[in-house]
Amino acid sequence: MTESRSASQRITDEVTSWDGVESGYGKRGEFGFYVNRHEIGHLHGDHAAHFSFGHEIGTTLKEQGRVVDHPVFPGKPGPAARRIETDEDIRDVIELMRLNYDRVIARYGLRSISATT
């Protein structure tokens, strides 16, 4: 990675710039991103991202080699993981978060943050 900002900083800066995205630490130390209280993915430091996709999308992304099985849910089609080692990984993690962001917006619309608190 060539930039001085860490992988998690770069991902967080981009993902939290999208309308309606909130972020914060979860119970297991993961740093999650949420839209309308739906998680679009989370980070484990600078080295891994975890997602939950639907069956079809998760299977397709695994076949493409963009994600692998989530370590807690091996063999399940929806939960997925992505290592973060290179600039390309960072860009793809952002794209995968955007995929889930767009899915949430398409399904639920974008509620204002003040309406959800």
Side-chain angles (χ1 to χ4, degrees):
M1 290 177 259
T2 57
E3 284 195 29
S4 60
R5 292 179 303 147
S6 70
S8 60
Q9 289 171 323
R10 291 170 61 191
I11 293 165
T12 298
D13 288 350
E14 175 62 27
V15 175
T16 58
S17 74
W18 304 336
D19 286 344
V21 173
E22 296 180 302
S23 61
Y25 285 97
K27 296 176 185 175
R28 294 174 185 86
E30 76 281 5
F31 191 79
F33 302 93
Y34 306 87
V35 179
N36 299 339
R37 299 189 181 178
H38 296 276
E39 184 178 307
I40 60 172
H42 65 259
L43 301 175
H44 290 280
D46 292 315
H47 66 277
H50 291 165
F51 311 91
S52 184
F53 300 105
H55 178 92
E56 185 176 324
I57 293 171
T59 299
T60 299
L61 292 170
K62 288 175 187 175
E63 288 171 354
Q64 294 171 347
R66 293 180 69 189
V67 296
V68 297
D69 283 352
H70 189 291
V72 178
F73 306 104
K76 298 212 182 241
R82 171 75 185 236
R83 293 281 309 155
I84 304 170
E85 297 174 344
T86 67
D87 287 338
E88 181 181 336
D89 294 332
I90 293 169
R91 285 188 296 273
D92 204 35
V93 165
I94 291 169
E95 288 178 16
L96 293 165
M97 295 269 185
R98 187 64 192 213
L99 174 65
N100 264 348
Y101 174 87
D102 290 342
R103 290 174 60 227
V104 169
I105 299 303
R107 185 167 185 179
Y108 302 104
L110 182 61
R111 291 182 269 167
S112 72
I113 292 173
S114 61
T116 62
T117 56

